[in-house]
């Protein structure tokens, strides 16, 4: 097979890139290791920056998002029984869209099924070669064990932290920056109306809690748990009891509990790999960077990469203009580090760190009090939360 762009990974970033390239007339193919059902079963992020929503609209996959998604004009930070609302619309004139990553993926899949480019499921990429040659080669294996090769002018690694894209990049001059946090998030998805009208972050001396939602009938809740915690060690009742302790009283009283449709523990880490380009290979999303979910940046950061990479690859493929290709890594990393900073700050502000002690707790309270009193501080938070601009 011969294409202009081979895309590794059929998650939202790989599918979004394929869609943008296809609309521009660039020949591409997506190689995804898992089957469609598995891809659509991943329950991940649910908050889209307005720029991400606009990107999906530009890709022609925003109709269902606009019909079913929830526009949120703010978020709430709570601590010690008090809550501060961050009014995005008033502070920065922007909003966010609550629309699950699973739904974004479904919309992109349907568009590619209808219009192309082709998505090949069950394709295990075993090697990416020829990155410094006139054409790259992607070697992949199907579920029957047969080996195949795709020749491509460019390769986009959108296949996550453990994928072939990052492994190939790591064989070159990749420099990694990482922090692993000593806790995780125990999350429960339940078919009940949300306890809070907007996403609510709660700092508590017992640990962090988050009240979120996927739609008006489906709620997502998290509590901070020690590193190494197993989800099956927590009963539903134990989770709801602990969540109530950490939420503000009014929110806890509004909480409607139900059976856990999904329960899992997500470890938290900050990671950046530099550069994001090696020859004919580019990285997007989790293949290049990971943020703790506190700032709602993971999917948004990946879609930002996609936008920049599409802007680089379309002229490179259609007219041979390589200016965007040469600038991609530096441009993407500038935005990545801004999102990493915000996600790290939010995580530090709202979580219980074992090593912080009494001083650390007082500093968190002082910072939250500053946010409550200072419009400028709230404005800076709102600007970062709704979207980091280049």
């Amino acid at each position: 097979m011969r294409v202009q762009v081979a895309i590794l990974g059929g998650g939202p970033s790989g599918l979004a890139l394929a869609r943008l390239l296809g609309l521009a007339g660039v020949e591409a193919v997506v190689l995804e290791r898992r089957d469609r059902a598995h891809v659509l079963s991943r329950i991940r992020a649910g908050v889209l920056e307005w720029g991400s929503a606009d990107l999906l609209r530009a890709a022609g996959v925003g109709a269902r998002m606009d019909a079913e998604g929830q526009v949120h004009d703010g978020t709430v930070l709570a601590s010690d029984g008090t809550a501060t609302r961050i009014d995005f619309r008033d502070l920065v004139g922007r909003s966010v869209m609550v629309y699950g990553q699973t739904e974004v993926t479904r919309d992109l899949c349907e568009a590619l099924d209808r219009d192309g480019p082709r998505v090949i499921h069950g394709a295990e990429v075993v090697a990416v070669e020829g990155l410094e040659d006139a054409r790259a080669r992607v070697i992949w294996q199907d579920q029957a064990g047969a080996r195949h090769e795709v020749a491509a002018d460019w390769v986009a690694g959108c296949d996550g932290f453990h994928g072939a894209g990052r492994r190939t990049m790591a064989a070159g001059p990749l420099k990694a920056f990482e922090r692993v946090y000593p806790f995780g998030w125990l999350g429960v998805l339940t078919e009940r109306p949300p306890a809070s009208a907007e996403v609510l972050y709660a700092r508590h001396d017992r640990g962090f809690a988050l009240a979120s939602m996927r739609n008006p009938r489906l709620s997502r809740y998290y509590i901070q748990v020690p590193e190494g915690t197993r989800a099956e060690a927590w009963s539903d009742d134990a989770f709801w009891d602990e969540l109530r302790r950490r939420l503000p009283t009014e929110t806890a009283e509004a909480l409607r509990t139900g059976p856990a449709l999904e329960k899992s523990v997500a470890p938290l880490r900050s990671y950046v790999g530099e550069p994001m380009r090696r020859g004919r290979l580019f990285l997007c999303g989790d293949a290049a960077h990971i943020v703790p979910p506190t700032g709602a940046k993971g999917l948004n950061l990946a879609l930002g990469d996609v936008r920049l990479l599409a802007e680089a690859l379309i002229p490179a493929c259609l007219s041979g203009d390589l200016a965007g290709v040469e600038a991609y890594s530096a441009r993407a990393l500038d935005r990545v580090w801004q999102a990493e900073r915000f996600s790290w700050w939010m995580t530090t502000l709202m979580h219980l760190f074992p090593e912080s002690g009494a001083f650390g707790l007082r500093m968190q309270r002082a910072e939250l009090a500053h946010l409550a009193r200072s419009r400028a501080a709230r404005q800076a938070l709102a600007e970062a939360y709704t979207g980091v601009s280049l």
Side-chain angles (χ1 to χ4, degrees), residues 235-283:
S235 68
D236 288 2
D237 287 343
F239 176 86
W240 296 124
D241 288 345
E242 185 60 28
L243 178 65
R244 284 191 188 93
R245 293 187 184 101
R246 301 185 189 186
L247 292 176
T249 301
E250 183 179 351
T251 309
E253 291 175 348
L255 180 66
R256 293 181 59 185
T257 65
L261 302 179
E262 190 265 350
K263 186 188 298 176
S264 60
V265 175
L268 269 65
R269 68 164 56 176
S270 298
Y271 167 85
V272 180
E274 297 184 354
M276 290 174 61
R277 178 199 171 200
R278 178 185 166 201
R280 297 190 173 275
L281 172 66
F282 307 86
L283 297 185

Side-chain angles (χ1 to χ4, degrees), residues 294-305:
T294 324
K297 290 296 169 214
L299 176 57
N300 293 296
L301 203 48
L303 291 176
D305 294 344

Side-chain angles (χ1 to χ4, degrees), residues 109-351:
C109 285
E110 291 177 358
L112 295 183
D113 286 346
R114 182 181 65 246
D115 304 325
R118 182 184 177 192
V119 180
I120 302 176
H121 288 277
E124 179 81 35
V125 175
V126 296
V128 183
E129 303 172 346
L131 297 183
E132 308 301 332
D133 299 340
R135 189 169 295 147
R137 298 176 300 281
V138 179
I139 315 299
W140 62 277
Q141 182 173 290
D142 64 26
Q143 292 178 312
R147 291 169 73 89
H148 307 265
E149 180 175 313
V150 176
D153 296 330
W154 308 101
V155 180
C158 305
D159 51 345
F161 186 80
H162 300 289
R166 196 184 75 89
R167 289 199 307 270
T168 303
M169 189 73 76
L174 183 70
K175 186 173 184 179
F177 303 85
E178 184 174 30
R179 178 176 184 183
V180 177
Y181 297 91
F183 45 72
W185 280 12
L186 172 62
V188 162
L189 183 72
T190 187
E191 196 170 3
R192 293 292 187 273
S196 174
E198 295 175 327
V199 177
L200 183 145
Y201 297 81
R203 191 217 68 84
H204 194 278
D205 289 352
R206 296 179 65 90
F208 168 77
L210 176 71
S212 185
M213 68 288 294
R214 290 295 175 265
N215 58 51
R217 301 167 303 281
L218 198 61
S219 298
R220 184 76 163 168
Y221 298 102
Y222 297 93
I223 58 172
Q224 177 186 349
V225 292
E227 185 179 18
T229 297
R230 295 164 54 246
E232 54 268 29
W234 282 74
S235 68
D236 288 2
D237 287 343
F239 176 86
W240 296 124
D241 288 345
E242 185 60 28
L243 178 65
R244 284 191 188 93
R245 293 187 184 101
R246 301 185 189 186
L247 292 176
T249 301
E250 183 179 351
T251 309
E253 291 175 348
L255 180 66
R256 293 181 59 185
T257 65
L261 302 179
E262 190 265 350
K263 186 188 298 176
S264 60
V265 175
L268 269 65
R269 68 164 56 176
S270 298
Y271 167 85
V272 180
E274 297 184 354
M276 290 174 61
R277 178 199 171 200
R278 178 185 166 201
R280 297 190 173 275
L281 172 66
F282 307 86
L283 297 185
C284 274
D286 286 358
H289 43 73
I290 296 173
V291 290
T294 324
K297 290 296 169 214
L299 176 57
N300 293 296
L301 203 48
L303 291 176
D305 294 344
V306 165
R307 177 174 64 84
L308 293 176
L309 188 52
E311 290 174 357
L313 288 177
I314 290 168
C317 291
L318 299 184
S319 65
D321 181 355
L322 301 182
V325 164
E326 298 295 340
Y328 169 72
S329 181
R331 291 186 68 199
L333 283 168
D334 181 48
R335 187 175 187 273
V336 166
W337 279 111
Q338 289 302 309
E340 291 279 354
R341 181 208 66 80
F342 176 67
S343 299
W344 164 84
W345 177 78
M346 282 282 287
T347 302
T348 303
L349 176 66
M350 302 303 295
H351 287 76

